Amino acid sequence: MENIVTTIIMILIVACMPVVSKGEEPVDTVKVVKKADEVVVTRKGTVTRLEATRMDSLQNGKYYIYEVDVRTSSPDEEYDLPDLWEMKLPFLPNDCDNCSGRRLRRQLTGFSHVYWGWRFNYNDRREVKNGFEVGVRDLVGVRWDHGPQTVGFSIGAGFGMMRFLAQDGFCYAKHGDALVFRKISEGIKVDKSRFDVWRFHIPVLLDVPLGKVGNFSIGGVANLNTYASSKTQTISGDERESVKYKHFQQRLFTADLFASLTIEGIGIYATWSPMSVFGAGFGPELKGWSIGVDLLTF
């Protein structure tokens, strides 16, 4: 990239040399565009035109156009600009190891894969309803790729929570360190009975660009289930009672398979959770899959 910036400066110096030599006028100053993805230089008559394209994080192009009009100081004098610019286009060094198309680059990411979705259980359905989940899978992370519109690899860190609702006629309770279900006695109405798991995410993803506006991500997500609690609220006559339990023996580590498809930063995702939230004797397995809305950038 330093070679590109140096070459741009050389273009302006070469284009303005006749002005300095003939009229002793100062050279025009033009802003340098750093990390340009594409540079096009054309010349028509005495006007040299430079167009630079730079892509932002959403792969939207920003264009910078500069023009330099080189003329002699005296209308009576004639001076033709040389056709030889003494430089090789398109400004790439002979050593391709330094070419931006092949060099592996690293960049920070953040607020990626913000999600909200429905969670469907394929076991424990007798006692547990389908629930939901919400969070940010990649609050901060690192991505490696070879440039814009290339396949990349990313790893990050985020957080989220998932909620499981008890089926009608059941409520969550605690027996020792285990999460258990109890049947509701007659005359007692359950306003709500839920079980929440808060967790940290470590996503390891392969990102495949789909044109200029689309993206497909696939990989695995490691979950650190750091906190779990249950809350049951019952109504008996005019009395309302709320009971909350915590300090369960949920698995500290679980893993999900993840895939998402986004267009213009908005899309859908799907996960499969083959690992149980609780070990044998400490609670329901709560295995399932989920689908929902995924925001690639927020």
Side-chain angles (χ1 to χ4, degrees):
M1 187 57 63
E2 293 181 358
N3 294 334
I4 295 179
V5 176
T6 303
T7 305
I8 294 174
I9 297 175
M10 290 176 60
I11 293 173
L12 299 176
I13 294 175
V14 172
C16 297
M17 283 179 60
V19 176
V20 177
S21 59
K22 294 293 182 178
E24 297 183 356
E25 296 179 358
V27 179
D28 292 338
T29 301
V30 178
K31 179 181 178 181
V32 176
V33 180
K34 296 182 179 180
K35 297 183 179 180
D37 295 281
E38 183 181 12
V39 178
V40 178
V41 180
T42 57
R43 191 178 67 198
K44 183 177 181 181
T46 61
V47 178
T48 300
R49 180 184 178 92
L50 185 146
E51 300 180 15
T53 304
R54 180 180 178 185
M55 308 298 289
D56 58 16
S57 59
L58 294 178
Q59 304 302 320
N60 296 322
K62 294 183 178 180
Y63 304 96
Y64 302 84
I65 300 176
Y66 303 98
E67 291 186 353
V68 178
D69 190 358
V70 180
R71 300 177 184 272
T72 58
S73 59
S74 175
D76 298 332
E77 299 181 9
E78 294 184 358
Y79 184 86
D80 294 331
L81 294 177
D83 292 331
L84 181 60
W85 287 12
E86 299 181 357
M87 63 184 67
K88 294 182 180 181
L89 302 179
F91 313 140
L92 292 180
N94 294 328
D95 184 8
C96 286
D97 292 337
N98 295 325
C99 298
S100 60
R102 296 186 180 182
R103 183 175 54 194
L104 187 66
R105 67 175 189 174
R106 181 182 61 189
Q107 57 183 341
L108 294 178
T109 60
F111 284 99
S112 297
H113 297 293
V114 181
Y115 69 93
W116 188 97
W118 296 267
R119 186 175 178 91
F120 303 91
N121 300 309
Y122 56 78
N123 61 356
D124 306 304
R125 299 182 64 178
R126 179 173 174 268
E127 299 91 359
V128 183
K129 294 181 180 180
N130 296 327
F132 71 91
E133 58 185 13
V134 63
V136 183
R137 285 194 173 86
D138 190 356
L139 181 63
V140 61
V142 181
R143 172 186 166 90
W144 293 268
D145 57 33
H146 292 281
Q149 305 301 318
T150 61
V151 176
F153 170 80
S154 64
I155 183 171
F159 66 93
M161 66 87 66
M162 53 184 179
R163 173 167 293 178
F164 304 91
L165 303 177
Q167 287 281 12
D168 296 338
F170 292 90
C171 68
Y172 289 106
K174 188 177 183 182
H175 180 71
D177 290 335
L179 177 69
V180 297
F181 296 98
R182 289 180 180 173
K183 289 188 176 182
I184 304 301
S185 303
E186 294 184 4
I188 298 178
K189 179 182 178 181
V190 176
D191 184 34
K192 56 185 175 183
S193 184
R194 67 194 187 203
F195 174 69
D196 298 336
V197 179
W198 292 86
R199 51 189 183 166
F200 289 101
H201 299 307
I202 304 177
V204 181
L205 304 177
L206 181 69
D207 301 315
V208 181
L210 303 176
K212 294 184 178 181
V213 297
N215 185 82
F216 175 72
S217 299
I218 188 170
V221 180
N223 304 304
L224 301 178
N225 306 307
T226 57
Y227 180 78
S229 65
S230 70
K231 183 177 181 180
T232 300
Q233 187 169 322
T234 59
I235 301 175
S236 178
D238 296 333
E239 296 182 0
R240 183 183 295 267
E241 182 180 2
S242 180
V243 180
K244 185 175 182 179
Y245 299 101
K246 54 185 179 179
H247 303 302
F248 293 102
Q249 296 296 322
Q250 74 275 7
R251 293 185 187 273
L252 178 61
F253 173 82
T254 56
D256 302 334
L257 295 179
F258 170 84
S260 71
L261 177 64
T262 58
I263 303 295
E264 294 284 359
I266 302 176
I268 59 175
Y269 79 91
T271 61
W272 177 46
S273 305
M275 299 183 64
S276 60
V277 177
F278 288 97
F282 289 101
E285 291 186 344
L286 301 177
K287 297 179 181 179
W289 58 279
S290 59
I291 186 172
V293 179
D294 184 65
L295 303 180
L296 187 59
T297 55
F298 181 73

